[in-house]
Amino acid sequence: MRKLEVCFSPAIYPLFKNDNAIVVVIDVLRATSAICTAFHFGVKKMIPVASLDEAAAYKAKKFLVAAERNAEIIPGYDFGNSPYSYMTDKVNGETIVITTTNGTQAIHAARDARQVVVGSFLNLSVLASYLTSQESDVLLLCAGWKNKLNLEDSLFAGALASELLKTGSYAHDCDSTRTCSILYKEAKPDVYGFLNDSSHRQRLAKLDLEKDVRYCLQVDKAPVIPVLKDEFLVKMDL
Amino acid sequence: MRKLEVCFSPAIYPLFKNDNAIVVVIDVLRATSAICTAFHFGVKKMIPVASLDEAAAYKAKKFLVAAERNAEIIPGYDFGNSPYSYMTDKVNGETIVITTTNGTQAIHAARDARQVVVGSFLNLSVLASYLTSQESDVLLLCAGWKNKLNLEDSLFAGALASELLKTGSYAHDCDSTRTCSILYKEAKPDVYGFLNDSSHRQRLAKLDLEKDVRYCLQVDKAPVIPVLKDEFLVKMDL
């Protein structure tokens, strides 16, 4: 049986490190949703960087750069964390550098894994199908919020875990996986409502980003798999 | 409003450190249940130590020592982690040194907090009542299993959080608290059944410790509050 685990925080990723696992990085609101959207709209390559210093260095070299901290775009940069900003022909064929509060930190933490892919509700089915087609263990790495658990990433981990467990190919001897599956079962009838009082929903509501939230919770709207190749994210050939 | 947070792993305790918080250390199966039971049966003082080396040093000095790793008593010591081993007059008035896989590590992590108390289903009501009588924030520190989340500690955190939130005195801007509350709501009708396939239940079942599990999930059977004073646990005067 393949192993399936959920890690709630990049801070404890070393406890879960598994050379046989494909790591799915999850930051539903909004980094990994934005990345899936960007590739769905034709972005050729994304360069995830952990620090604002690295982002600034790329900006100085005339790259397109997405830079977000605490849910807001950093002034002077081309994109923030909104999936809507990528829904334009202008991104087609482009390379975009990206740094976000949590999501790119999680990608950075997992960079030495056997394979790192990007997950969100927007690519749920294609991702579940790819993972089950592989003979690998799976580690769902939630970006969380500043290394603490968050509800929306846990929910998506539950949604993806439920799909994987249906196949009967994964043992889940992991209480985190159980917790996420229970959350998702509870939330499934109304994910948007379920997240109503979550910490990050409240943060985004203050910034008038409800439209982003509604988009990010839709299933299969961007059926692509961003995958880390060396230092870059590219779209996996399916 | 007072702050209420849940930390799922001693490994990320530094992210939650809060000088205004009383820390409740939780290791339901079985360290904190055993500690509550020991004080209920008259133990005078317990000395939690993190390492087996420290435990061995106390043993050499003729102390009574409880030493458990991976759910089993270490050969040559006086007690393991079973609450039943403390249900005897022999412990009355005694000092007992204790080291366990997870629980004493969590106590050790939190030792600099404003106050550290020990929580389990066995002292749920008296603990909820004490915490609400104080003007402090509350941090529920789950010992987990080797720094990963476990279901039974999360459930108890949910049970205690639910009691505290009822008072209306605590803001819970914490997705971990929400997660635990949801788990507890789901589990409440049958906590024992809910934990049926949890990782640690399975570990204990292999060791024929189901009787311990059933005892540890009972509410208010040991209505005492063990509290850390300097390096020792003592029974709080209520």
Side-chain angles (χ1 to χ4, degrees):
Chain A
M1 293 285 271
R2 308 175 205 162
K3 199 167 169 180
L4 169 61
E5 287 194 296
V6 175
C7 173
F8 286 126
S9 162
I12 50 170
Y13 171 74
L15 296 174
F16 290 84
K17 205 168 167 354
N18 168 359
D19 290 337
N20 193 39
I22 299 175
V23 176
V24 181
V25 174
I26 299 167
D27 185 7
V28 165
L29 297 179
R30 297 165 290 159
T32 59
S33 300
I35 291 169
C36 291
T37 304
F39 282 105
H40 186 53
F41 277 80
V43 165
K44 189 175 171 197
K45 195 194 277 187
M46 295 187 93
I47 308 176
V49 298
S51 76
L52 285 173
D53 283 351
E54 291 166 275
Y58 277 106
K59 182 75 189 153
K61 288 189 263 178
K62 308 296 182 199
F63 276 81
L64 286 172
V65 178
E68 170 267 357
R69 284 295 181 276
N70 298 312
E72 298 193 81
I73 182 169
I74 310 265
Y77 286 92
D78 307 290
F79 304 91
N81 222 355
S82 174
Y84 282 101
S85 59
Y86 297 97
M87 293 178 192
T88 159
D89 285 347
K90 280 194 294 185
V91 301
N92 199 14
E94 296 288 351
T95 292
I96 299 174
V97 176
I98 182 168
T99 183
T100 73
T101 310
N102 305 293
T104 52
Q105 320 296 325
I107 293 171
H108 188 74
R111 67 193 180 283
D112 295 330
R114 176 195 190 95
Q115 187 176 51
V116 178
V117 296
V118 167
S120 70
F121 284 104
L122 304 172
N123 69 346
L124 173 61
S125 300
V126 69
L127 190 55
S129 157
Y130 169 70
L131 293 169
T132 52
S133 76
Q134 304 297 302
E135 291 297 317
S136 301
D137 296 343
V138 170
L139 173 58
L140 307 182
L141 174 57
C142 298
W145 180 257
K146 299 186 177 178
N147 281 317
K148 296 180 178 180
L149 172 145
N150 79 25
L151 216 46
E152 63 274 13
D153 294 345
S154 308
L155 268 191
F156 174 71
L160 183 51
S162 304
E163 291 299 315
L164 299 182
L165 291 170
K166 270 184 205 162
T167 67
S169 303
Y170 297 86
H172 78 133
D173 181 30
C174 167
D175 279 359
S176 299
T177 307
R178 287 188 187 96
T179 296
C180 290
S181 302
I182 292 161
L183 285 180
Y184 183 62
K185 197 181 114 207
E186 183 84 1
K188 201 175 176 184
D190 177 15
V191 172
Y192 183 80
F194 184 83
L195 289 176
N196 204 30
D197 74 342
S198 74
S199 310
H200 199 50
R201 255 299 282 287
Q202 292 178 358
R203 239 174 257 127
L204 294 176
K206 280 185 200 145
L207 299 167
D208 199 20
L209 294 171
E210 282 299 297
K211 192 179 153 202
D212 278 22
V213 175
R214 285 198 181 272
Y215 173 75
C216 293
L217 299 180
Q218 292 183 85
V219 172
D220 294 342
K221 286 285 174 180
V224 295
I225 303 180
V227 58
L228 196 64
K229 291 276 181 205
D230 305 317
E231 304 290 302
F232 313 122
L233 289 168
V234 295
K235 187 166 113 178
M236 188 185 288
D237 291 325
L238 292 172
Chain B
M1 295 285 271
R2 308 175 206 163
K3 198 168 170 180
L4 169 61
E5 287 194 296
V6 175
C7 174
F8 286 124
S9 163
I12 51 171
Y13 172 74
L15 297 173
F16 290 83
K17 204 168 167 354
N18 169 359
D19 289 338
N20 194 38
I22 299 175
V23 176
V24 181
V25 174
I26 298 166
D27 185 7
V28 165
L29 297 178
R30 297 166 290 159
T32 58
S33 300
I35 292 169
C36 291
T37 304
F39 281 106
H40 186 54
F41 277 79
V43 164
K44 189 175 172 198
K45 192 195 282 190
M46 294 187 94
I47 309 177
V49 298
S51 75
L52 286 173
D53 283 350
E54 291 167 276
Y58 277 106
K59 182 76 189 153
K61 287 188 265 179
K62 310 292 182 200
F63 276 81
L64 286 173
V65 178
E68 171 268 356
R69 285 297 181 273
N70 298 312
E72 300 191 80
I73 183 170
I74 311 264
Y77 286 92
D78 308 288
F79 304 92
N81 221 355
S82 173
Y84 282 100
S85 59
Y86 297 96
M87 294 178 192
T88 157
D89 284 348
K90 281 194 292 185
V91 301
N92 198 15
E94 295 289 347
T95 293
I96 299 175
V97 176
I98 182 169
T99 184
T100 74
T101 310
N102 305 292
T104 51
Q105 319 297 325
I107 293 170
H108 188 73
R111 66 193 181 283
D112 295 330
R114 177 196 190 94
Q115 188 175 52
V116 178
V117 296
V118 167
S120 70
F121 284 104
L122 305 172
N123 68 346
L124 173 61
S125 300
V126 68
L127 190 55
S129 157
Y130 168 71
L131 293 169
T132 52
S133 76
Q134 303 298 300
E135 290 298 317
S136 301
D137 296 343
V138 171
L139 173 58
L140 307 183
L141 175 58
C142 298
W145 180 257
K146 298 187 176 178
N147 279 318
K148 297 181 177 180
L149 173 145
N150 78 27
L151 215 47
E152 63 275 13
D153 294 345
S154 307
L155 268 192
F156 175 71
L160 183 51
S162 304
E163 291 298 314
L164 298 182
L165 291 169
K166 270 185 207 162
T167 66
S169 304
Y170 298 86
H172 78 133
D173 181 31
C174 169
D175 278 0
S176 299
T177 307
R178 288 188 186 95
T179 297
C180 291
S181 302
I182 292 161
L183 285 180
Y184 183 62
K185 198 181 113 204
E186 183 85 1
K188 200 175 175 183
D190 177 15
V191 172
Y192 184 80
F194 184 84
L195 289 177
N196 203 32
D197 74 341
S198 74
S199 311
H200 199 49
R201 255 299 281 289
Q202 292 178 358
R203 236 174 259 128
L204 294 177
K206 281 183 200 148
L207 299 167
D208 199 20
L209 294 170
E210 282 300 296
K211 190 178 154 204
D212 277 22
V213 175
R214 285 197 181 272
Y215 173 76
C216 292
L217 299 180
Q218 292 183 85
V219 172
D220 294 340
K221 287 284 174 182
V224 295
I225 303 181
V227 58
L228 195 64
K229 291 277 181 205
D230 305 317
E231 305 290 302
F232 314 120
L233 290 167
V234 295
K235 185 167 114 179
M236 188 185 286
D237 289 325
L238 293 171

